[in-house]
């Protein structure tokens, strides 16, 4: 199958995704006064722009991992374009198409589909583990309340099993990445242990630190909606809890199957974590407005990435 046919198919899927995206936007049932009030609308547009920027810079860890596994330098404008385009596919039923869509990179850069898929898998693990750790550090008190209220000690083995599986998956991805890279004979041969220390660990630490930064970035946006857009009185001590509660809900909604984009699970978990400190009505409205911002940001991110990629291609 030619590249032109594959790209045309990708464009068709993108257009199809936009239809589901618009339908999702209309399903939020937001009242006019929740959005159209002048100051609030201005804030929401600003947050949508910031979220679009977040989408454009989201691909840095994936670029780092893909370049290591494939041994090929990839221009970031292309990475941003592929990431933002594939991100629109998450609105399709199935919850996996935004990651499958990243394999367009394999076609554009003549990289093995298996290597791109491996890089995407490693990127997902880094993202999930980083956000989960960050959320637990930020909202320890909220998670402790849930632990005690639902008596989760009896289910501790499930948490340990899940954590163990994540560690094994991360280790397997790293080993496969080293073996895959080693088959091509890149650079001088290193002992396996030295490869881990010199190649895997630094990249893994960088990716996790980057996702920590993005987690704080998006968590602050959620805080802004609650404290500024909705005018809720949030004390300084509650800011980490608010950010962590949202991020923890995102992490759980990512893992547990639900509606496209994690809708439903994410909201329920966030409300449970934050219900002891905030009114449920406020949290639900904040989540709804943040969903609105996310959708507009996804569209804006794709448009921004498309413009950047087009301009960079013309310059080259």
């Amino acid at each position: 199958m030619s590249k032109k046919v594959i790209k045309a198919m990708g464009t068709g899927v993108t257009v199809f995704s936009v239809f589901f995206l618009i339908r999702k936007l209309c399903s939020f049932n937001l009242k006019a006064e929740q959005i159209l009030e002048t100051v609030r609308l201005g804030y929401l547009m600003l947050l949508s722009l910031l979220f679009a920027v977040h989408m454009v810079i989201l691909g840095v860890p994936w670029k780092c991992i893909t370049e290591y596994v494939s041994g090929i330098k990839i221009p970031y404008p292309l990475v941003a374009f592929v990431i933002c385009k594939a991100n629109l596919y998450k609105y399709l039923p199935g919850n996996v198409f935004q990651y499958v869509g990243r394999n367009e990179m394999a076609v554009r850069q003549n990289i093995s589909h298996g290597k791109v898929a491996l890089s995407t898998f490693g990127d997902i693990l880094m993202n999930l583990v980083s956000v989960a750790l960050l959320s637990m550090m930020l909202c320890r008190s909220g998670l402790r309340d849930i632990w005690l209220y639902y008596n989760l000690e009896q289910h501790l083995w499930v948490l340990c099993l899940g954590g163990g599986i994540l560690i094994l998956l991360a280790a397997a991805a790293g080993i496969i990445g080293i073996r895959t890279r080693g088959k091509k004979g890149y650079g001088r041969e290193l002992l396996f242990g030295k490869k881990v220390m010199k190649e895997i660990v630094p990249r893994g630490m960088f990716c996790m630190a980057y996702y920590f930064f993005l987690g704080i970035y998006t968590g602050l946006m959620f805080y802004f909606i609650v404290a500024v857009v909705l005018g809720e009185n949030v004390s300084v001590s509650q800011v980490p809890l608010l950010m962590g509660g949202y991020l923890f809900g995102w992490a759980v909604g990512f893992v547990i199957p639900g509606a496209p984009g994690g809708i439903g699970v994410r909201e329920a978990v966030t409300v449970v974590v934050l219900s002891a400190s905030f009114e449920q009505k406020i949290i639900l409205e904040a989540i709804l407005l943040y969903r609105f911002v996310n959708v507009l940001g996804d569209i804006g991110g794709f448009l921004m990435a498309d413009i950047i990629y087009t301009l960079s291609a013309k310059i080259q």
Side-chain angles (χ1 to χ4, degrees), residues 71 107 162 210 237:
V107 177
Y210 195 85
S237 62

Side-chain angles (χ1 to χ4, degrees), residues 34-184:
Q34 289 178 285
I35 300 177
L36 298 181
E37 193 271 321
T38 306
V39 176
R40 178 175 289 190
L41 181 61
Y43 283 142
L44 293 177
M45 292 302 102
L46 174 62
L47 289 171
S48 298
L49 177 61
L50 291 174
F51 194 83
V53 173
H54 158 265
M55 288 308 307
V56 172
I57 65 176
L58 180 65
V60 172
W62 185 57
K63 177 181 185 293
C64 177
I65 298 171
T66 305
E67 287 183 341
Y68 172 73
V69 173
S70 67
I72 297 174
K73 289 292 183 181
I74 305 172
Y76 191 76
L78 175 59
V79 173
F81 174 74
V82 171
I83 286 274
C84 291
K85 180 180 178 181
N87 182 61
L88 296 181
Y89 300 168
K90 72 184 180 184
Y91 295 98
L92 295 172
N95 272 350
V96 296
F97 294 106
Q98 69 267 36
Y99 298 109
V100 175
R102 293 188 185 187
N103 268 49
E104 180 179 343
M105 184 65 73
V107 177
R108 289 180 176 270
Q109 293 293 103
N110 293 317
I111 304 172
S112 162
H113 282 275
K115 291 181 179 179
V116 175
L118 176 63
S119 302
T120 300
F121 178 69
D123 180 57
I124 292 171
L125 280 178
M126 287 292 179
N127 190 358
L128 181 59
V129 171
S130 301
V131 173
L133 289 175
L134 178 61
S135 67
M136 287 187 284
M137 287 189 292
L138 290 173
C139 64
R140 296 188 301 273
S141 60
L143 296 178
R144 184 173 60 249
D145 291 340
I146 295 176
W147 183 275
L148 296 174
Y149 183 80
Y150 289 101
N151 192 24
L152 293 180
E153 287 186 2
Q154 58 183 330
H155 302 297
L156 182 61
W157 68 271
V158 177
L159 300 176
C160 293
L161 178 62
I165 291 174
L166 282 178
I167 293 173
L168 288 175
L169 289 175
I175 293 171
I176 295 172
I178 291 175
R179 298 302 185 193
T180 302
R181 183 178 172 84
K183 289 179 181 179
K184 292 292 184 180

